[in-house]
Amino acid sequence: MIGKLNHVAIAVPDLEAAAAQYRDTLGAEVGPPQDEPDHGVTVVFITLPNTKIELLYPLGDNSPIAGFLEKNPSGGIHHICYEVEDITAAALKLTTAGARVLGDGNPKIGAHGKPVLFLHPKDFNGTLVELEEV
Ligand code: CO
């Protein structure tokens, strides 16, 4: 059911420093910061030959990233995102198998303008999993 690894998201305590490290030290293609108020994050997209990295930084008062950074002050991998062809069918299959979809259970429009949903980390070996319809 799952296809390509779409991205790995890393929460960072200093977005400018992290972007500069990927651009200048690791030599990656690093985009400009983008505010995603619906998701409570500012994102920097890094394009690699086979996938993307997303640097996440809290935006606003109720950012889902703020608590993560409190527990992981030097930053850390926040989630991984797999591509699926039909997110509604994927959600149905997963919930039927007992997995929990976060939020109200319905896909939301994600940072790339496509439907996404998140699966409970306790159901996936301690890893927050995002599915994105492509
Ligand atoms: Co993501």
Side-chain angles (χ1 to χ4, degrees), residues 7 9 54 79 81 118 130:
H7 61 269
E54 292 182 9
H79 65 268
C81 176
F118 286 89
E130 179 180 18

Side-chain angles (χ1 to χ4, degrees), residues 27-31 44-54:
E29 187 187 325
V30 175
V44 167
F45 294 106
I46 299 167
T47 307
L48 303 181
N50 65 339
T51 191
K52 292 186 285 283
I53 304 293
E54 292 182 9

Side-chain angles (χ1 to χ4, degrees), residues 40-114:
V41 290
T42 302
V43 186
V44 167
F45 294 106
I46 299 167
T47 307
L48 303 181
N50 65 339
T51 191
K52 292 186 285 283
I53 304 293
E54 292 182 9
L55 304 179
L56 302 178
Y57 186 79
L59 175 69
D61 292 334
N62 296 311
S63 173
I65 302 301
F68 183 88
L69 281 173
E70 260 167 48
K71 287 182 216 142
N72 305 276
S74 53
I77 293 179
H78 183 263
H79 65 268
I80 56 177
C81 176
Y82 300 122
E83 297 181 355
V84 293
E85 278 179 18
D86 182 338
I87 202 162
T88 308
L92 182 63
K93 184 172 181 186
L94 287 157
T95 50
T96 303
R100 288 165 284 179
V101 174
L102 298 188
D104 62 9
N106 294 312
K108 287 192 174 64
I109 297 303
H112 310 117
K114 293 176 178 159

